Amino acid sequence: MVTATEDQTVIEIPIFLPAGENTLFGIRTLPAGHDERHSTAVVVLSGGGTPLSTGVNGFSVRVCRLVSSAGFHSLRFDYHGVGESTGDPDRFHLGAPYTVDLEGALQFLTTVGISRSILIGECFGARTALSVAASTHHDVLAVLAISPPIRDFEMGERVSTRLAVEHSLFTYVKRGFTPRTLKRALGSDRRAYARVAREKVRSVMRSGASSPDRAERYVVSRGFLDALRRLSEKGIQTQLVYGDQDDFIGDLQRAGSAVAPFLTRGSNPNILTIPGWVHGLASSATQSSLVEFTDRWLSRRARD
Amino acid sequence: MTRSHSTTDRIARSSLGGSTIQVRYIGVSGQEILVCLTAPEARAALAGVVICSPLHADFTKHYRTEVELGRTLARHGFATLRFHYRGTGHSKGDPAALTMSSMVGDARKAIDYLTDETSLDRIAFLGSRLGGCVAAAVTASAPGSPLVLWEPVIAASRYLREAERATLVVDLAQHGNHPDVRVGGQLDASDSVDVHGYPVTRALIDSFSVSLPDLLGDRARPILLLQVGKSTHLRPEYAGCAQGWTSQGFDVTTDILRGEVSWWFRGAGFGRDDTDRVASEGSEKVVTWLLDRGRQTGWSKAAAGGIW
């Protein structure tokens, strides 16, 4: 193991760094006795659902402290329009990852003498990492992409566009009208059921609305596939991780031959599924297992 | 807008649109808390505001609101101190040790830092959601200090009910499950329950056993109570608090920020959310109210130790 614990042998320094027309807030985590000249940085990017640099329940904080206690520099930052960073909040659309923000972070690392990085991103952060790693001039050694969406949709549209792909509204309503569901919907939890029903109808209706990028929301993203191909050509070690209960698994299956080469053991990039629901880091047990996975994955990188 | 930034002595500084921000860690090794001090750029601050933030998913949901509030307050002459409780956000410390007592202790450190950095003795307090209880607890020992309560949690039992509803909605919508054991029941059986990826511990809930009005006590002060929601009427629990405080001689103002903010839910994934609009409207109301209270007192130190 690189290390299995976060301890107090790290130093944390708040920073502001330029990225395009914005100023981003971040936290550098440094190992005690750090030397930038011989260091590799780990940059941790949060998902769009919890875009703060802390991540869900401090996931990004834990990863940064863990990797830094093992000798890496690490950096986590707030996207533009989020947290302490300047800028107006943008929509989080997977077709437009925040590459300027990440390039700014990598440029900052270069200015402090760190020329090599490993990128770790979750969901929207994973897509941003994949996109930049494939194109940046900064030396990216490896990418760990946690549950990167395969289609390009906007934050909040994941379920609605998936439903639109998988089911018609009639099919969905029919599934909901079972005696058991109706009994519960009329009982003490009727408000919760009403809310869910309202949102389902609204989201499915919205998914049919005309939109300039309508088609792209339902098919495998060209940007996603192009990034994987470029990373393969450049020989950058890339690991994608999904939970076997993530609804992206259905997208992977529908993608078929487009992603099949990445599902083979030993392929690079490589797609791995682990038990559970990974997307959104919606349980502390998942977060802990992913922190451990990250630790093991980085150990292998350090040996290589 | 002019922008500049620097990091010296492990303090990050930036300026934007008439305000400056200074971010650093304070405290003993291993227990440091992150503090963010926003102040007017071109003049000395007239008064200070300490902001006690929410917890769990609410912390993320409300974060930008508090950042924007700090910038707005700075443009009107206030210095604002935000901080992350130990065990949360970017601060150090053990998350499992998070209790009302530890949060109040961190708030007191934040107050000391604000007064040391600015030499201000006029301090107001603002608490959002569960942070409302923390703000009430620290304000109780500051006679006459104005208190702003932004959609405060009056009692821990309500917080648990909201958590329960949130887990039920997500379980139904995303997994098609109807959990048989409620959040409260799960907490009775174990030390912690997971709500959307955030552990809510029994120790934390038990530490909030005293209601907000009891934490605040009976020393009169100005209070602004902001309700966030779709209703045009003040919720009974808030109306009851306002009535009780008024009868005790408090100067109480209530207002409603009309809009839907999905507390406990992360991101834009669930329904329409008016966080940005509510944030903007709420910030203006807070600034207007604080300036009005300042004008009423003539920005002078009140007699007998009051600091507003």
Side-chain angles (χ1 to χ4, degrees):
Chain A
M1 288 290 184
V2 175
T3 182
T5 60
E6 308 154 32
D7 59 23
Q8 282 83 44
T9 58
V10 298
I11 301 162
E12 296 204 296
I13 304 175
I15 58 161
F16 285 101
L17 61 94
E21 57 186 29
N22 290 303
T23 301
L24 308 185
F25 172 76
I27 301 273
R28 286 179 70 190
T29 308
L30 317 176
H34 62 278
D35 179 0
E36 280 84 354
R37 290 171 301 167
H38 303 293
S39 288
T40 299
V42 175
V43 183
V44 181
L45 296 104
S46 298
T50 307
L52 272 185
S53 51
T54 53
V56 180
N57 190 35
F59 176 78
S60 301
V61 178
R62 279 187 283 165
V63 170
C64 283
R65 289 174 183 167
L66 176 75
V67 305
S68 289
S69 65
F72 293 92
H73 275 67
S74 63
L75 173 62
R76 56 192 188 269
F77 62 91
D78 292 334
Y79 298 115
H80 71 271
V82 172
E84 310 286 351
S85 296
T86 67
D88 295 318
D90 266 335
R91 61 178 196 164
F92 283 90
H93 195 292
L94 290 156
Y98 288 176
T99 55
V100 172
D101 290 0
L102 179 52
E103 287 281 13
L106 295 176
Q107 177 59 31
F108 168 81
L109 290 170
T110 303
T111 62
V112 298
I114 299 172
S115 59
R116 299 173 304 186
S117 293
I118 293 172
L119 307 182
I120 299 176
E122 185 257 325
C123 187
F124 181 87
R127 286 290 300 272
T128 302
L130 291 170
S131 182
V132 169
S135 59
T136 185
H137 295 301
H138 190 90
D139 187 6
V140 175
L141 301 180
V143 180
L144 175 60
I146 299 170
S147 203
I150 292 152
R151 293 177 287 112
D152 289 343
F153 49 82
E154 187 171 332
M155 263 297 303
E157 286 189 334
R158 184 188 100 250
V159 174
S160 67
T161 52
R162 177 176 63 80
L163 286 176
V165 172
E166 292 177 354
H167 302 297
S168 66
L169 177 60
F170 172 75
T171 306
Y172 192 81
V173 168
K174 187 178 158 191
R175 286 173 71 201
F177 267 77
T178 63
R180 189 163 173 250
T181 306
L182 285 171
K183 183 183 174 188
R184 284 178 161 162
L186 295 171
S188 60
D189 296 319
R190 59 186 176 279
R191 275 195 201 166
Y193 274 81
R195 179 173 181 174
V196 171
R198 203 167 53 234
E199 287 307 323
K200 286 299 186 190
V201 171
R202 188 185 286 154
S203 66
V204 174
M205 298 301 284
R206 220 173 28 216
S207 70
S210 62
S211 160
D213 58 353
R214 180 168 179 256
E216 282 69 35
R217 291 184 294 173
Y218 307 109
V219 300
V220 180
S221 162
R222 188 173 306 166
F224 173 75
L225 291 177
D226 286 349
L228 294 188
R229 277 193 281 273
R230 284 201 299 274
L231 289 165
S232 175
E233 289 163 7
K234 292 176 81 169
I236 295 175
Q237 290 296 307
T238 303
Q239 180 69 65
L240 286 71
V241 181
Y242 296 92
D244 61 9
Q245 294 180 36
D246 287 354
D247 45 16
F248 297 144
I249 295 299
D251 289 337
L252 275 176
Q253 290 164 353
R254 277 186 290 276
S257 59
V259 298
F262 309 121
L263 293 166
T264 309
R265 186 184 170 88
S267 67
N268 182 55
N270 181 260
I271 295 176
L272 175 71
T273 57
I274 61 176
W277 186 285
V278 167
H279 178 248
L281 306 177
S283 79
S284 42
T286 296
Q287 295 155 21
S288 295
S289 69
L290 280 168
V291 170
E292 288 168 13
F293 180 93
T294 301
D295 187 23
R296 292 194 301 272
W297 181 76
L298 273 176
S299 290
R300 288 197 294 274
R301 301 282 76 72
R303 280 201 303 273
D304 296 345
Chain B
M1 284 185 181
T2 54
R3 287 189 295 272
S4 65
H5 54 86
S6 66
T7 300
T8 54
D9 301 323
R10 299 183 185 174
I11 301 174
R13 296 181 176 86
S14 185
S15 63
L16 177 69
S19 66
T20 63
I21 182 168
Q22 177 175 298
V23 185
R24 65 176 300 177
Y25 283 96
I26 63 170
V28 299
S29 178
Q31 297 291 315
E32 298 98 323
I33 63 171
L34 189 81
V35 292
C36 309
L37 173 60
T38 309
E41 185 170 20
R43 53 174 166 151
L46 294 168
V49 181
V50 174
I51 294 181
C52 301
S53 302
L55 288 182
H56 307 123
D58 293 352
F59 169 80
T60 308
K61 175 76 70 170
H62 200 59
Y63 199 95
R64 188 66 171 189
T65 297
E66 292 181 344
V67 169
E68 296 292 352
L69 176 60
R71 291 176 184 161
T72 303
L73 284 165
R75 287 197 294 274
H76 290 85
F78 294 90
T80 305
L81 201 289
R82 293 176 289 109
F83 64 99
H84 299 182
Y85 308 107
R86 274 172 295 162
T88 74
H90 292 299
S91 290
K92 300 285 186 71
D94 183 3
L98 187 69
T99 62
M100 168 78 164
S101 173
S102 72
M103 294 164 73
V104 169
D106 296 335
R108 294 197 199 286
K109 289 196 195 81
I111 295 166
D112 289 343
Y113 178 75
L114 175 62
T115 53
D116 287 347
E117 285 291 307
T118 63
S119 301
L120 287 167
D121 53 18
R122 291 184 290 264
I123 308 288
F125 299 88
L126 185 148
S128 306
R129 300 283 288 152
L130 213 52
C133 291
V134 178
V138 294
T139 308
S141 55
S145 293
L147 172 65
V148 178
L149 297 170
W150 187 303
E151 183 65 13
V153 173
I154 302 298
S157 55
R158 182 180 171 87
Y159 193 65
L160 265 185
R161 277 203 303 280
E162 290 175 356
E164 202 161 81
R165 208 174 299 137
T167 56
L168 174 60
V169 169
V170 172
D171 280 347
L172 281 171
Q174 294 194 355
H175 307 291
N177 295 332
H178 180 115
D180 292 322
V181 183
R182 305 298 181 142
V183 166
Q186 291 174 51
L187 260 187
D188 288 339
S190 72
D191 292 335
S192 174
V193 64
D194 202 294
V195 182
H196 292 191
Y198 292 91
V200 177
T201 65
R202 185 163 52 183
L204 176 70
I205 295 298
D206 286 348
S207 73
F208 278 84
S209 58
V210 181
S211 72
L212 192 154
D214 288 340
L215 287 167
L216 185 57
D218 56 7
R219 285 168 149 178
R221 69 187 66 254
I223 294 181
L224 171 64
L225 173 53
L226 294 174
Q227 173 178 295
V228 178
K230 293 188 290 186
S231 173
T232 54
H233 303 294
L234 206 59
R235 285 198 289 271
E237 60 168 350
Y238 287 170
C241 287
Q243 195 173 13
W245 286 325
T246 301
S247 68
Q248 290 177 298
F250 288 56
D251 167 18
V252 182
T253 306
T254 61
D255 211 332
I256 297 174
L257 303 174
R258 298 278 318 278
E260 185 166 1
V261 175
S262 305
W263 302 108
W264 279 109
F265 290 96
R266 298 185 270 122
F270 241 91
R272 293 172 297 187
D273 197 286
D274 301 313
T275 300
D276 294 340
R277 184 174 57 73
V278 165
S280 176
E281 188 183 326
S283 295
E284 292 302 323
K285 287 184 187 291
V286 169
V287 167
T288 300
W289 184 80
L290 284 172
L291 286 173
D292 190 52
R293 288 299 162 287
R295 271 192 290 275
Q296 287 182 8
T297 62
W299 296 108
S300 60
K301 206 189 243 184
I307 62 171
W308 192 259

